[in-house]
Amino acid sequence: MPSQSQFSPQAGISPKLSVRGIRKDYGATTVLHALDLNVHSGELLTLLGPSGSGKTTLLQIICGLVEPTSGRLFIDGRDETSLPVNQRDIGVVFQNYALFPHLTVKENIAFPLQMRRLPATEIDKRVAEVLDMVNLGHTADRLPKALSGGQQQRVALARCLVYRPSVILMDEPLGALDRKLRESMQIEIKRIHRETGATIIFVTHDQEEALALSDRICLMNDGVIAQVGTPQEIYEAPANRFSAEFIGLSNIFDGDIADGMLRSADGNIPAVAGMQAGDGLMVRPEHIALTDPAQGFLSGTVTETVYAGADTRLLVALESGKSIIVRQAAGFPIAPIGSSVGLTWQSSAIRIVR
Amino acid sequence: MAEWQSPSRRRFKLDPLWLAGPGIFYLVLLLIVPAAGLMFLSFRDSSGSLSFETYRQMFGAGIYVQVLINTFSIAMQTTIACLLVGYPLAYWLAKMPEKRRRLVMWLVLLPFWMSALLKNFAWMVLLSRRGVLSQILTGMGIGGPVDLLYGRGVVVFAMAHTMLPLAALTMLPTLLSIDLGLARAAKTLGASGGQAFWRIVFPLSMPGVAAAGLLVFISSLGFFITPALLGSPRETVIGQLLITQVQQLLNWQLAGAIAVMLLVVTLAVCLVYDRAFGISAVSGERSDRRSTGLFARIGTVVIASAARVTDILAGVLDVVPGLRRRGWLLDAFCVLVMAMLLVPVLIFLPMAFGSSSFLEFPPRGYSLRWFETYWNSSNWTGATMRSFGIAIVSALLASAMGGIAAFGVARSKSRIGNVAFLLFMLPMIIPNIVIAVALFYLFAQIGLIATDAGIALGHTLTALPVVFVIILTTFKNYDWRLDQAAATLGATRMGTVRKVTWPIVKGSVVAAFLFGFLHSFEELTIALFVGGGVRQTLPKQMWDDVLLQVSPTLAAASVIILAVVTVVFVAAERARPR
Ligand SMILES: Nc1ncnc2c1ncn2[C@@H]1O[C@H](COP(=O)(O)OP(=O)(O)O)[C@@H](O)[C@H]1O
Ligand SMILES: [Mg+2]
């Protein structure tokens, strides 16, 4: 085995996969700007970002379908930047599954094993095993087009699991499924992740899905990594405006700081320590409490209420014209439309965003 | 963090379009160069200096002008007839549930692939003085033996009959792409059936109608089989003129001038079409262009009046009992048209099994004597064998060149891809007779006249667009992520091609090969010129015999051609994936 420690000298544990300065240009446009990212062994990391942010491109570079313009990719400490796709120990679940239409479910799943020239008995055994794992034993001899979307999805997953790659990449694998199915597949993926111990990189543009699945989230925007962290870290301590706005709902106030107050067009709000010029303040809707109009930091009029069972969302229009989102937990009386309210919050709930 | 250099392994990537290279080379060498050379000749006199003498001759002599007028007016009339009959047929097919349409399509596709020679020969037999129709009319006591042949009417009728499947099949993709829900939506908005059709469906189907008109018109310009077999000398067309002037008199200047003229007209028609719809609409692709200006305004007026007339007509028909629900009218019309497409050919075939020494219907006795004559004639069997051989070779060549070119064009990201596409379609757009004369001109200089190789090379040229389009469609619809998936699953480049790509596209490559085979097997024009009267293919042998005398042996040969065509056609359709 080539020198393990070549590029992971300091830390005791080397990352499973390491993206170093990877950049991709298409003609004059830069799609990925020199990214750095480490993925730990056995974790489930999601690449989250709006459409066009470069998630698929990064994934394709990792599995070798696209060559980066510059930068290096290390897997298990080996430089695999130029290793052909078919020699990497990586499994890919494609966005539209890419099941071979002329092969049955069984043949599709056996394909990677045949490519690896495993003996036929071993192939049969492993295919049966993995079919069981995804609960598709009864469909073994059908063609993909005779399966439902959810079943096709599971075949794609099985085809990838069967040769036990140590890294699995999934590009928006649940995008085509309806909500119910998507949620049950999320649970299934979590289970399989636990059972196999594989390292999974999961691409999605759906923040709820990312929050529900991930050990860590890598948030991308315009070919740049905006923030990497656990779901909780990103939600509770967004590193920047993009993170704050993309994940969850947020209210952001901007203005000049003077005398410990943020003087914004919407009113004066107590500032927090460490704020610099140009920074904004962010408050999540669930941290805002409604009070008497005279008592809040800000006051306004309720213009809309959206009932969502567990909570109710209110839109409060400030005098400046800005709308603030407030979330009221179930059980409280809902402020009627047109009523005047004051807005208040604990200073610990406030985050600085740059 | 250190700057990581780009991988050193990166190499210059060739655009896949280079795969179209061999095909393009072939087209340039066998079509563009000789055609250009021929046209060049028309601007020279016998001493070789620049002159317009040929054109003065052509437009000066009354008979030439008459031939030109004949050609264009017959082509125009044929086109109009094809559109008028083909549109309802295509509309009817488009409205069918998919399953039923697949079945009915066979009945349109089979006549499409049936050789033009055969169809016209059938009419010749059926409409002659001793033909079926004449007998029926006599039997009913309407006059003595009638001769229905030899006139403008029958020429246009039979030519439209020959080209009708082409027209309907060209219009169908456009009609299918129109969401018929739109017409329903128009009705919920208060439109009558007629209004909904004329204002919604009809304008949306115009690109298909124009494409069909374009193809039928261009094919008709060089078509000579019908006028020669069913027309009188007054219906002589350019094709026949070229045969005598080039084959017998080697009048290259005149051939060049006619080629120039046909090409100019063809080009002009194509340009107008491109202006109005964008040329890619020929293949059923929807363009997002909205035409404006004079055409569009005239169109609006025409459509509004047509809708009004339909409404009035509908009002009148509503009063007639039995015609309140008149969906069956279209059904009846289309069933009749489909019967007309097939029955004439099928009805004259039994005559081949007759026992008398001339073709009669119904035959008085049955025998296989004419098949024996066919079988014992080395002319006929030789021609049949030659046709098989040439068809196999040209289909192979065309599939190889057209197949890899289609792959290249489908995979190419280059803009030149469109140019390559048009280049490969050229043999379909340029009138066949021009191609044949150009090949004759080229092969005369390099000693390929009267050789099997010459005919095969020519057939390869004209089979190229057929094969190319079929395979191109397949590659365009192919999901290339499957190849990526195979690679990530551990397959090598070769493994991917062998286990994934090829099994999926195989069917349509086989179908393309078979359609290429059919094309060559039935081709007459090139065989006529390049064969030089020595190397007889089956259609050429038939052609010569038809011109001499209509004999039952011909009917026997027709049965054999029809059997081959049907078998190959069915095999090709089955091979083709859906
Ligand atoms: N082959 C390509 N050629 C040119 N631009 C591309 C190509 N592939 C992707 N892009 C561009 O790169 C950007 C990122 O694309 P992609 O990685 O697919 O984003 P995501 O998967 O996050 O939606 C997009 O703006 C896209 O248009
Ligand atoms: Mg994507």
Side-chain angles (χ1 to χ4, degrees), chain A residues 26 31 50-58:
Chain A
Y26 282 114
V31 173
S51 167
S53 55
K55 307 177 300 283
T56 299
T57 308
L58 179 57

Side-chain angles (χ1 to χ4, degrees), chain A residues 7 20 36 65 67 69-72 82 85-86 90 92 94 96 98-102 111-112 115-116 159 163, chain B residues 1 4-11 13 481-482 484-493 499-500 503-504:
Chain A
F7 285 103
R20 305 195 187 174
D36 292 307
L65 288 170
E67 224 175 328
T69 308
S70 62
R72 296 258 155 233
S82 304
V85 199
N86 55 333
I90 285 183
V92 183
F94 285 78
N96 291 48
L99 298 178
F100 304 127
H102 60 301
F111 186 90
M115 292 298 120
R116 286 167 176 72
R159 186 175 69 177
Y163 60 100
Chain B
M1 178 132 233
W4 300 99
Q5 289 309 304
S6 66
S8 54
R9 212 175 52 90
R10 303 193 76 214
R11 58 225 126 87
K13 272 223 182 97
R481 279 171 306 189
L482 295 177
Q484 295 191 339
T488 66
L489 293 171
T492 58
R493 210 40 100 64
K499 307 270 292 213
V500 178
I504 297 175

